[in-house]
Amino acid sequence: MRNIELKVDDDSFWNDKEQIIKYIQLEDFENANTLIQSKIKFENNMIDKNGDKSELVCNQHFIFRAYWHLFEHFIKCWTHLRSSPDDSWNHLQDCLLAIDVLDLSVNGNDFFDSNMLYNYLLKIESLFPYTMFNSVEYVTKKATCSICGNNPFSKECNHIKGDLYYGKRCYVTIDEANIIGMSLVENPANKKCIIFVEYDKKNVKYSPFGLVWQLSFLKPLFDFTIIYKNVSMTRDKYLKYLRNIEKNPKLPPKRIFQVEYKKITQLNKIGFKIQNT
Amino acid sequence: MLNFLYNEDSKLETEIYKVKNHLFFMSLKIAEENINFETYSEVLSAEAKEKIKKNEPCIFITPNRGWRANKNWLYPKETADFVKYVNQETQQNATYLSDPEEILSLNNIDSYLPIITLGIDFILKVGIESVVDIVIEYLKNKYPRIFSNSKNQIHFKIQIEKRDKKSMLKLEYDGPANDIKNTFTGEKISEIIDRL
């Protein structure tokens, strides 16, 4: 609700941002992580230092910290794509949550390229086999505001959930609740509430995470397009494509990379084409 | 630096969803209901009682009863934030019709706003348009991306007291956020006022 205006006095933000993106694109995750951790430490220090002096400064640093966290989770998401895609999903959701914080800043869209990152992450999300999620319906009887400790419905509490107050994000803790029911929904409140998919971790490419596995052979933070095609493929043809990818796992980013196959989890015969651009 | 991440794919999907949604669903339902402020007499808070008595132009945040055979009066979880937003960021005043005791959280990402009850005096002095604008501004501030994503639906009800003060006109909106403005057109609002 309370939009925060961000200001950067020196070039260090832009330089570090550019450097981190470059490291990620070159898949030098170790250096990227070191730089990200130093930035997170710096933002934490700034929040502690200004804790009771300037609310605006604290909130600004909170937003910057969320930006660095976004890249931290993105690296984890990308590195897990091939080995444990279900962990990768959790980190992808953390990236999207970090973008929620960036949206609190007035000039966020241009400052962090958050729109572009958001669309890119949504495309990665669409390759996962999760289409239905668990979701709970409940009646809250007692709740507490994280900032003032009062009931969020009482007149004493002026804090709006999701807003920043002295470098802290307001949330509501549910102390007492009755669960009414559980449902399977397409658009849940929390996308981490997945239905577990059992698969052979040694053979991810033949699992419902086949699309995600293929994505891992592309370069991170380079766009790819998904073209929907009404083409169904035979199993043999599909496996042939997979074998070809296996032979050339490190495709250069600009080279056209085309795969047509049937999405395993989809019942209708829709084929996909992933193309690195 | 990240310019190459921009792609039109997601935009196209949203457009297709929008057209489908527009063809098969009507977002706004208008119906007359045999309820008035007295219907809530058993739960009315002292503050609300006084404001109704004084005919103060106020946005009354109203609980709902009968959710899946639940006999208690429930507010949706978005209520507290909406009330604080109205009182802190707008010139209007929002009051709970009854003291909130139980909060209902539903199971998807859709935004369920509380029922807004307006007295006839509010309509004559302030107007329906300003309430619709408050809802839109609230959503814009809280969920900036909701207007570009048609899959997230908004659900809200506005109950308006009729001139005879015996019944109310219920406006029920279930649809995407970016359709609210197009639904509550000047023509529609004058049609609603004529029915009061």
Side-chain angles (χ1 to χ4, degrees), chain A residues 250-261:
Chain A
K250 291 278 168 188
L251 290 164
K254 293 281 175 184
R255 185 173 156 188
I256 292 171
F257 174 79
Q258 289 184 336
V259 193
E260 285 175 14
Y261 52 90

Side-chain angles (χ1 to χ4, degrees), chain A residues 206-218:
Chain A
Y206 302 123
S207 75
F209 294 99
L211 283 165
V212 180
W213 179 83
Q214 292 204 23
L215 178 73
S216 69
F217 291 105
L218 303 185

Side-chain angles (χ1 to χ4, degrees), chain A residues 90-108:
Chain A
N90 285 340
H91 292 297
L92 181 69
Q93 294 309 318
D94 288 331
C95 291
L96 291 165
L97 286 175
I99 289 183
D100 274 356
V101 179
L102 303 184
D103 286 342
L104 291 171
S105 64
V106 179
N107 43 6

